[in-house]
PDB file of all heavy atoms in Angstrom:
ATOM      1  N   GLU A   1     142.973  83.399 119.833  1.00 93.00           N
ATOM      2  CA  GLU A   1     142.679  82.331 118.887  1.00 93.00           C
ATOM      3  C   GLU A   1     141.313  81.723 119.215  1.00 93.00           C
ATOM      4  O   GLU A   1     140.773  81.929 120.312  1.00 93.00           O
ATOM      5  CB  GLU A   1     143.768  81.261 118.936  1.00 93.00           C
ATOM      6  CG  GLU A   1     143.813  80.466 120.228  1.00 93.00           C
ATOM      7  CD  GLU A   1     144.770  79.293 120.121  1.00 93.00           C
ATOM      8  OE1 GLU A   1     145.329  79.080 119.040  1.00 93.00           O
ATOM      9  OE2 GLU A   1     144.934  78.592 121.128  1.00 93.00           O
ATOM     10  N   PRO A   2     140.718  80.970 118.279  1.00 93.00           N
ATOM     11  CA  PRO A   2     139.358  80.442 118.496  1.00 93.00           C
ATOM     12  C   PRO A   2     139.186  79.641 119.779  1.00 93.00           C
ATOM     13  O   PRO A   2     138.166  79.784 120.458  1.00 93.00           O
ATOM     14  CB  PRO A   2     139.144  79.567 117.250  1.00 93.00           C
ATOM     15  CG  PRO A   2     139.990  80.194 116.195  1.00 93.00           C
ATOM     16  CD  PRO A   2     141.196  80.705 116.901  1.00 93.00           C
ATOM     17  N   SER A   3     140.166  78.801 120.150  1.00 92.00           N
ATOM     18  CA  SER A   3     139.995  77.982 121.356  1.00 92.00           C
ATOM     19  C   SER A   3     139.920  78.842 122.609  1.00 92.00           C
ATOM     20  O   SER A   3     139.172  78.524 123.555  1.00 92.00           O
ATOM     21  CB  SER A   3     141.141  76.981 121.480  1.00 92.00           C
ATOM     22  OG  SER A   3     142.384  77.649 121.600  1.00 92.00           O
ATOM     23  N   VAL A   4     140.662  79.955 122.638  1.00 93.00           N
ATOM     24  CA  VAL A   4     140.597  80.863 123.783  1.00 93.00           C
ATOM     25  C   VAL A   4     139.252  81.582 123.814  1.00 93.00           C
ATOM     26  O   VAL A   4     138.684  81.824 124.893  1.00 93.00           O
ATOM     27  CB  VAL A   4     141.761  81.874 123.741  1.00 93.00           C
ATOM     28  CG1 VAL A   4     141.644  82.891 124.873  1.00 93.00           C
ATOM     29  CG2 VAL A   4     143.095  81.153 123.823  1.00 93.00           C
ATOM     30  N   LEU A   5     138.725  81.916 122.648  1.00 94.00           N
ATOM     31  CA  LEU A   5     137.392  82.526 122.595  1.00 94.00           C
ATOM     32  C   LEU A   5     136.351  81.595 123.210  1.00 94.00           C
ATOM     33  O   LEU A   5     135.529  82.014 124.025  1.00 94.00           O
ATOM     34  CB  LEU A   5     137.014  82.855 121.152  1.00 94.00           C
ATOM     35  CG  LEU A   5     137.865  83.874 120.398  1.00 94.00           C
ATOM     36  CD1 LEU A   5     137.273  84.143 119.019  1.00 94.00           C
ATOM     37  CD2 LEU A   5     137.981  85.178 121.164  1.00 94.00           C
ATOM     38  N   PHE A   6     136.407  80.314 122.836  1.00 94.00           N
ATOM     39  CA  PHE A   6     135.413  79.355 123.326  1.00 94.00           C
ATOM     40  C   PHE A   6     135.584  79.038 124.814  1.00 94.00           C
ATOM     41  O   PHE A   6     134.594  78.867 125.528  1.00 94.00           O
ATOM     42  CB  PHE A   6     135.489  78.050 122.520  1.00 94.00           C
ATOM     43  CG  PHE A   6     134.926  78.162 121.136  1.00 94.00           C
ATOM     44  CD1 PHE A   6     135.709  77.870 120.026  1.00 94.00           C
ATOM     45  CD2 PHE A   6     133.613  78.538 120.926  1.00 94.00           C
ATOM     46  CE1 PHE A   6     135.196  77.962 118.750  1.00 94.00           C
ATOM     47  CE2 PHE A   6     133.081  78.638 119.652  1.00 94.00           C
ATOM     48  CZ  PHE A   6     133.872  78.347 118.553  1.00 94.00           C
ATOM     49  N   ASN A   7     136.817  78.945 125.267  1.00 92.00           N
ATOM     50  CA  ASN A   7     137.078  78.473 126.626  1.00 92.00           C
ATOM     51  C   ASN A   7     137.245  79.579 127.656  1.00 92.00           C
ATOM     52  O   ASN A   7     137.300  79.292 128.855  1.00 92.00           O
ATOM     53  CB  ASN A   7     138.323  77.584 126.640  1.00 92.00           C
ATOM     54  CG  ASN A   7     138.114  76.284 125.892  1.00 92.00           C
ATOM     55  OD1 ASN A   7     137.142  75.572 126.123  1.00 92.00           O
ATOM     56  ND2 ASN A   7     139.024  75.964 124.987  1.00 92.00           N
ATOM     57  N   LEU A   8     137.349  80.831 127.218  1.00 92.00           N
ATOM     58  CA  LEU A   8     137.568  81.902 128.188  1.00 92.00           C
ATOM     59  C   LEU A   8     136.760  83.160 127.890  1.00 92.00           C
ATOM     60  O   LEU A   8     135.922  83.572 128.708  1.00 92.00           O
ATOM     61  CB  LEU A   8     139.065  82.249 128.243  1.00 92.00           C
ATOM     62  CG  LEU A   8     139.457  83.360 129.220  1.00 92.00           C
ATOM     63  CD1 LEU A   8     139.121  82.948 130.645  1.00 92.00           C
ATOM     64  CD2 LEU A   8     140.939  83.711 129.088  1.00 92.00           C
ATOM     65  N   LEU A   9     137.000  83.790 126.742  1.00 93.00           N
ATOM     66  CA  LEU A   9     136.424  85.112 126.487  1.00 93.00           C
ATOM     67  C   LEU A   9     134.911  85.085 126.317  1.00 93.00           C
ATOM     68  O   LEU A   9     134.206  85.944 126.849  1.00 93.00           O
ATOM     69  CB  LEU A   9     137.092  85.739 125.256  1.00 93.00           C
ATOM     70  CG  LEU A   9     138.600  85.973 125.380  1.00 93.00           C
ATOM     71  CD1 LEU A   9     139.150  86.637 124.132  1.00 93.00           C
ATOM     72  CD2 LEU A   9     138.909  86.819 126.611  1.00 93.00           C
ATOM     73  N   ILE A  10     134.401  84.111 125.576  1.00 94.00           N
ATOM     74  CA  ILE A  10     132.943  84.028 125.404  1.00 94.00           C
ATOM     75  C   ILE A  10     132.250  83.694 126.721  1.00 94.00           C
ATOM     76  O   ILE A  10     131.250  84.339 127.083  1.00 94.00           O
ATOM     77  CB  ILE A  10     132.581  83.030 124.289  1.00 94.00           C
ATOM     78  CG1 ILE A  10     133.007  83.585 122.919  1.00 94.00           C
ATOM     79  CG2 ILE A  10     131.077  82.733 124.291  1.00 94.00           C
ATOM     80  CD1 ILE A  10     132.754  82.649 121.758  1.00 94.00           C
ATOM     81  N   PRO A  11     132.730  82.701 127.497  1.00 93.00           N
ATOM     82  CA  PRO A  11     132.110  82.482 128.820  1.00 93.00           C
ATOM     83  C   PRO A  11     132.152  83.707 129.722  1.00 93.00           C
ATOM     84  O   PRO A  11     131.189  83.989 130.442  1.00 93.00           O
ATOM     85  CB  PRO A  11     132.941  81.329 129.397  1.00 93.00           C
ATOM     86  CG  PRO A  11     133.431  80.587 128.206  1.00 93.00           C
ATOM     87  CD  PRO A  11     133.705  81.626 127.171  1.00 93.00           C
ATOM     88  N   LEU A  12     133.263  84.469 129.681  1.00 91.00           N
ATOM     89  CA  LEU A  12     133.358  85.659 130.523  1.00 91.00           C
ATOM     90  C   LEU A  12     132.343  86.721 130.126  1.00 91.00           C
ATOM     91  O   LEU A  12     131.960  87.549 130.959  1.00 91.00           O
ATOM     92  CB  LEU A  12     134.772  86.238 130.453  1.00 91.00           C
ATOM     93  CG  LEU A  12     135.872  85.465 131.191  1.00 91.00           C
ATOM     94  CD1 LEU A  12     137.214  86.161 131.025  1.00 91.00           C
ATOM     95  CD2 LEU A  12     135.529  85.311 132.666  1.00 91.00           C
ATOM     96  N   SER A  13     131.895  86.698 128.870  1.00 89.00           N
ATOM     97  CA  SER A  13     130.883  87.678 128.449  1.00 89.00           C
ATOM     98  C   SER A  13     129.570  87.477 129.188  1.00 89.00           C
ATOM     99  O   SER A  13     128.747  88.392 129.274  1.00 89.00           O
ATOM    100  CB  SER A  13     130.646  87.582 126.936  1.00 89.00           C
ATOM    101  OG  SER A  13     130.012  86.351 126.592  1.00 89.00           O
ATOM    102  N   GLY A  14     129.369  86.269 129.743  1.00 87.00           N
ATOM    103  CA  GLY A  14     128.154  86.014 130.514  1.00 87.00           C
ATOM    104  C   GLY A  14     128.087  86.827 131.789  1.00 87.00           C
ATOM    105  O   GLY A  14     127.009  86.976 132.369  1.00 87.00           O
ATOM    106  N   ILE A  15     129.218  87.353 132.247  1.00 87.00           N
ATOM    107  CA  ILE A  15     129.208  88.232 133.416  1.00 87.00           C
ATOM    108  C   ILE A  15     128.402  89.484 133.117  1.00 87.00           C
ATOM    109  O   ILE A  15     127.684  90.011 133.982  1.00 87.00           O
ATOM    110  CB  ILE A  15     130.653  88.600 133.824  1.00 87.00           C
ATOM    111  CG1 ILE A  15     131.400  87.342 134.277  1.00 87.00           C
ATOM    112  CG2 ILE A  15     130.657  89.655 134.931  1.00 87.00           C
ATOM    113  CD1 ILE A  15     132.863  87.581 134.576  1.00 87.00           C
ATOM    114  N   TYR A  16     128.512  89.952 131.869  1.00 85.00           N
ATOM    115  CA  TYR A  16     127.756  91.146 131.480  1.00 85.00           C
ATOM    116  C   TYR A  16     126.306  90.804 131.168  1.00 85.00           C
ATOM    117  O   TYR A  16     125.388  91.469 131.663  1.00 85.00           O
ATOM    118  CB  TYR A  16     128.408  91.806 130.261  1.00 85.00           C
ATOM    119  CG  TYR A  16     127.558  92.859 129.609  1.00 85.00           C
ATOM    120  CD1 TYR A  16     127.374  94.095 130.208  1.00 85.00           C
ATOM    121  CD2 TYR A  16     126.910  92.609 128.397  1.00 85.00           C
ATOM    122  CE1 TYR A  16     126.581  95.060 129.616  1.00 85.00           C
ATOM    123  CE2 TYR A  16     126.114  93.567 127.800  1.00 85.00           C
ATOM    124  CZ  TYR A  16     125.954  94.790 128.408  1.00 85.00           C
ATOM    125  OH  TYR A  16     125.161  95.747 127.828  1.00 85.00           O
ATOM    126  N   SER A  17     126.106  89.764 130.344  1.00 86.00           N
ATOM    127  CA  SER A  17     124.752  89.467 129.900  1.00 86.00           C
ATOM    128  C   SER A  17     124.675  88.043 129.364  1.00 86.00           C
ATOM    129  O   SER A  17     125.533  87.615 128.582  1.00 86.00           O
ATOM    130  CB  SER A  17     124.330  90.459 128.811  1.00 86.00           C
ATOM    131  OG  SER A  17     123.187  90.026 128.113  1.00 86.00           O
ATOM    132  N   GLN A  18     123.651  87.303 129.770  1.00 88.00           N
ATOM    133  CA  GLN A  18     123.416  85.964 129.228  1.00 88.00           C
ATOM    134  C   GLN A  18     123.039  86.056 127.751  1.00 88.00           C
ATOM    135  O   GLN A  18     123.374  85.165 126.955  1.00 88.00           O
ATOM    136  CB  GLN A  18     122.317  85.256 130.018  1.00 88.00           C
ATOM    137  CG  GLN A  18     122.020  83.841 129.552  1.00 88.00           C
ATOM    138  CD  GLN A  18     123.173  82.876 129.795  1.00 88.00           C
ATOM    139  OE1 GLN A  18     124.045  83.151 130.611  1.00 88.00           O
ATOM    140  NE2 GLN A  18     123.180  81.750 129.093  1.00 88.00           N
ATOM    141  N   GLU A  19     122.352  87.136 127.377  1.00 89.00           N
ATOM    142  CA  GLU A  19     121.991  87.331 125.975  1.00 89.00           C
ATOM    143  C   GLU A  19     123.237  87.477 125.110  1.00 89.00           C
ATOM    144  O   GLU A  19     123.323  86.905 124.010  1.00 89.00           O
ATOM    145  CB  GLU A  19     121.118  88.579 125.828  1.00 89.00           C
ATOM    146  CG  GLU A  19     120.701  88.867 124.385  1.00 89.00           C
ATOM    147  CD  GLU A  19     119.974  90.188 124.244  1.00 89.00           C
ATOM    148  OE1 GLU A  19     119.809  90.897 125.259  1.00 89.00           O
ATOM    149  OE2 GLU A  19     119.592  90.530 123.103  1.00 89.00           O
ATOM    150  N   LEU A  20     124.229  88.226 125.604  1.00 91.00           N
ATOM    151  CA  LEU A  20     125.477  88.397 124.869  1.00 91.00           C
ATOM    152  C   LEU A  20     126.213  87.066 124.760  1.00 91.00           C
ATOM    153  O   LEU A  20     126.748  86.731 123.688  1.00 91.00           O
ATOM    154  CB  LEU A  20     126.359  89.430 125.571  1.00 91.00           C
ATOM    155  CG  LEU A  20     127.763  89.646 124.987  1.00 91.00           C
ATOM    156  CD1 LEU A  20     127.690  90.080 123.536  1.00 91.00           C
ATOM    157  CD2 LEU A  20     128.533  90.662 125.828  1.00 91.00           C
ATOM    158  N   LEU A  21     126.253  86.294 125.832  1.00 92.00           N
ATOM    159  CA  LEU A  21     126.921  84.997 125.801  1.00 92.00           C
ATOM    160  C   LEU A  21     126.262  84.083 124.769  1.00 92.00           C
ATOM    161  O   LEU A  21     126.957  83.424 123.984  1.00 92.00           O
ATOM    162  CB  LEU A  21     126.870  84.365 127.194  1.00 92.00           C
ATOM    163  CG  LEU A  21     127.687  83.087 127.427  1.00 92.00           C
ATOM    164  CD1 LEU A  21     128.042  82.955 128.901  1.00 92.00           C
ATOM    165  CD2 LEU A  21     126.942  81.833 126.988  1.00 92.00           C
ATOM    166  N   THR A  22     124.939  84.021 124.774  1.00 93.00           N
ATOM    167  CA  THR A  22     124.213  83.174 123.823  1.00 93.00           C
ATOM    168  C   THR A  22     124.483  83.595 122.392  1.00 93.00           C
ATOM    169  O   THR A  22     124.724  82.759 121.503  1.00 93.00           O
ATOM    170  CB  THR A  22     122.704  83.223 124.112  1.00 93.00           C
ATOM    171  OG1 THR A  22     122.459  82.798 125.462  1.00 93.00           O
ATOM    172  CG2 THR A  22     121.939  82.332 123.150  1.00 93.00           C
ATOM    173  N   HIS A  23     124.458  84.910 122.160  1.00 94.00           N
ATOM    174  CA  HIS A  23     124.683  85.443 120.819  1.00 94.00           C
ATOM    175  C   HIS A  23     126.096  85.120 120.349  1.00 94.00           C
ATOM    176  O   HIS A  23     126.303  84.647 119.216  1.00 94.00           O
ATOM    177  CB  HIS A  23     124.457  86.950 120.839  1.00 94.00           C
ATOM    178  CG  HIS A  23     124.115  87.522 119.508  1.00 94.00           C
ATOM    179  ND1 HIS A  23     123.017  88.316 119.289  1.00 94.00           N
ATOM    180  CD2 HIS A  23     124.724  87.420 118.296  1.00 94.00           C
ATOM    181  CE1 HIS A  23     122.973  88.679 118.022  1.00 94.00           C
ATOM    182  NE2 HIS A  23     124.004  88.137 117.403  1.00 94.00           N
ATOM    183  N   LEU A  24     127.079  85.360 121.201  1.00 95.00           N
ATOM    184  CA  LEU A  24     128.466  85.111 120.825  1.00 95.00           C
ATOM    185  C   LEU A  24     128.730  83.624 120.588  1.00 95.00           C
ATOM    186  O   LEU A  24     129.342  83.241 119.578  1.00 95.00           O
ATOM    187  CB  LEU A  24     129.400  85.621 121.919  1.00 95.00           C
ATOM    188  CG  LEU A  24     129.716  87.118 121.932  1.00 95.00           C
ATOM    189  CD1 LEU A  24     130.490  87.484 123.195  1.00 95.00           C
ATOM    190  CD2 LEU A  24     130.530  87.510 120.705  1.00 95.00           C
ATOM    191  N   LEU A  25     128.285  82.789 121.519  1.00 95.00           N
ATOM    192  CA  LEU A  25     128.585  81.363 121.424  1.00 95.00           C
ATOM    193  C   LEU A  25     127.945  80.735 120.188  1.00 95.00           C
ATOM    194  O   LEU A  25     128.601  79.977 119.461  1.00 95.00           O
ATOM    195  CB  LEU A  25     128.119  80.649 122.685  1.00 95.00           C
ATOM    196  CG  LEU A  25     128.457  79.154 122.765  1.00 95.00           C
ATOM    197  CD1 LEU A  25     129.963  78.936 122.647  1.00 95.00           C
ATOM    198  CD2 LEU A  25     127.941  78.556 124.070  1.00 95.00           C
ATOM    199  N   SER A  26     126.685  81.059 119.927  1.00 95.00           N
ATOM    200  CA  SER A  26     126.016  80.472 118.766  1.00 95.00           C
ATOM    201  C   SER A  26     126.605  80.984 117.458  1.00 95.00           C
ATOM    202  O   SER A  26     126.859  80.203 116.533  1.00 95.00           O
ATOM    203  CB  SER A  26     124.510  80.760 118.824  1.00 95.00           C
ATOM    204  OG  SER A  26     124.257  82.146 118.973  1.00 95.00           O
ATOM    205  N   ALA A  27     126.868  82.283 117.361  1.00 96.00           N
ATOM    206  CA  ALA A  27     127.393  82.850 116.118  1.00 96.00           C
ATOM    207  C   ALA A  27     128.824  82.392 115.853  1.00 96.00           C
ATOM    208  O   ALA A  27     129.150  81.951 114.736  1.00 96.00           O
ATOM    209  CB  ALA A  27     127.335  84.378 116.174  1.00 96.00           C
ATOM    210  N   VAL A  28     129.697  82.486 116.847  1.00 96.00           N
ATOM    211  CA  VAL A  28     131.099  82.098 116.655  1.00 96.00           C
ATOM    212  C   VAL A  28     131.216  80.599 116.399  1.00 96.00           C
ATOM    213  O   VAL A  28     132.052  80.152 115.604  1.00 96.00           O
ATOM    214  CB  VAL A  28     131.952  82.522 117.867  1.00 96.00           C
ATOM    215  CG1 VAL A  28     133.385  82.026 117.721  1.00 96.00           C
ATOM    216  CG2 VAL A  28     131.943  84.033 118.020  1.00 96.00           C
ATOM    217  N   THR A  29     130.368  79.801 117.036  1.00 96.00           N
ATOM    218  CA  THR A  29     130.382  78.358 116.792  1.00 96.00           C
ATOM    219  C   THR A  29     130.024  78.041 115.350  1.00 96.00           C
ATOM    220  O   THR A  29     130.685  77.227 114.692  1.00 96.00           O
ATOM    221  CB  THR A  29     129.411  77.640 117.743  1.00 96.00           C
ATOM    222  OG1 THR A  29     129.844  77.810 119.090  1.00 96.00           O
ATOM    223  CG2 THR A  29     129.335  76.159 117.429  1.00 96.00           C
ATOM    224  N   LEU A  30     128.982  78.676 114.832  1.00 96.00           N
ATOM    225  CA  LEU A  30     128.581  78.446 113.438  1.00 96.00           C
ATOM    226  C   LEU A  30     129.677  78.879 112.466  1.00 96.00           C
ATOM    227  O   LEU A  30     129.999  78.161 111.514  1.00 96.00           O
ATOM    228  CB  LEU A  30     127.278  79.192 113.146  1.00 96.00           C
ATOM    229  CG  LEU A  30     126.008  78.598 113.745  1.00 96.00           C
ATOM    230  CD1 LEU A  30     124.829  79.557 113.570  1.00 96.00           C
ATOM    231  CD2 LEU A  30     125.681  77.260 113.094  1.00 96.00           C
ATOM    232  N   VAL A  31     130.258  80.038 112.722  1.00 96.00           N
ATOM    233  CA  VAL A  31     131.307  80.554 111.837  1.00 96.00           C
ATOM    234  C   VAL A  31     132.542  79.665 111.898  1.00 96.00           C
ATOM    235  O   VAL A  31     133.153  79.353 110.859  1.00 96.00           O
ATOM    236  CB  VAL A  31     131.651  82.008 112.219  1.00 96.00           C
ATOM    237  CG1 VAL A  31     132.918  82.463 111.513  1.00 96.00           C
ATOM    238  CG2 VAL A  31     130.495  82.936 111.857  1.00 96.00           C
ATOM    239  N   SER A  32     132.926  79.247 113.091  1.00 96.00           N
ATOM    240  CA  SER A  32     134.095  78.383 113.236  1.00 96.00           C
ATOM    241  C   SER A  32     133.872  77.022 112.580  1.00 96.00           C
ATOM    242  O   SER A  32     134.801  76.445 112.002  1.00 96.00           O
ATOM    243  CB  SER A  32     134.427  78.201 114.722  1.00 96.00           C
ATOM    244  OG  SER A  32     135.618  77.479 114.889  1.00 96.00           O
ATOM    245  N   THR A  33     132.648  76.517 112.639  1.00 96.00           N
ATOM    246  CA  THR A  33     132.332  75.248 111.978  1.00 96.00           C
ATOM    247  C   THR A  33     132.464  75.380 110.468  1.00 96.00           C
ATOM    248  O   THR A  33     133.008  74.484 109.802  1.00 96.00           O
ATOM    249  CB  THR A  33     130.918  74.782 112.352  1.00 96.00           C
ATOM    250  OG1 THR A  33     130.800  74.686 113.775  1.00 96.00           O
ATOM    251  CG2 THR A  33     130.614  73.428 111.731  1.00 96.00           C
ATOM    252  N   LEU A  34     131.984  76.478 109.910  1.00 95.00           N
ATOM    253  CA  LEU A  34     132.153  76.720 108.473  1.00 95.00           C
ATOM    254  C   LEU A  34     133.636  76.752 108.107  1.00 95.00           C
ATOM    255  O   LEU A  34     134.056  76.197 107.086  1.00 95.00           O
ATOM    256  CB  LEU A  34     131.488  78.043 108.085  1.00 95.00           C
ATOM    257  CG  LEU A  34     129.959  78.084 108.100  1.00 95.00           C
ATOM    258  CD1 LEU A  34     129.469  79.508 107.817  1.00 95.00           C
ATOM    259  CD2 LEU A  34     129.389  77.137 107.045  1.00 95.00           C
ATOM    260  N   ASN A  35     134.422  77.411 108.942  1.00 95.00           N
ATOM    261  CA  ASN A  35     135.858  77.511 108.691  1.00 95.00           C
ATOM    262  C   ASN A  35     136.522  76.137 108.710  1.00 95.00           C
ATOM    263  O   ASN A  35     137.307  75.799 107.816  1.00 95.00           O
ATOM    264  CB  ASN A  35     136.479  78.423 109.744  1.00 95.00           C
ATOM    265  CG  ASN A  35     137.970  78.614 109.552  1.00 95.00           C
ATOM    266  OD1 ASN A  35     138.770  77.754 109.912  1.00 95.00           O
ATOM    267  ND2 ASN A  35     138.356  79.744 108.986  1.00 95.00           N
ATOM    268  N   SER A  36     136.225  75.348 109.727  1.00 95.00           N
ATOM    269  CA  SER A  36     136.876  74.044 109.857  1.00 95.00           C
ATOM    270  C   SER A  36     136.433  73.085 108.754  1.00 95.00           C
ATOM    271  O   SER A  36     137.236  72.253 108.300  1.00 95.00           O
ATOM    272  CB  SER A  36     136.598  73.441 111.237  1.00 95.00           C
ATOM    273  OG  SER A  36     135.214  73.358 111.494  1.00 95.00           O
TER     274      SER A  36
END
């Protein structure tokens, strides 16, 4: 669910790449804001 993405899965992506974390966090945040 979205809260798990924000609090766990997206932060864990930073282990692989800070670029991936930035991309995921900014994109998913914008999309989730549109949804809400």
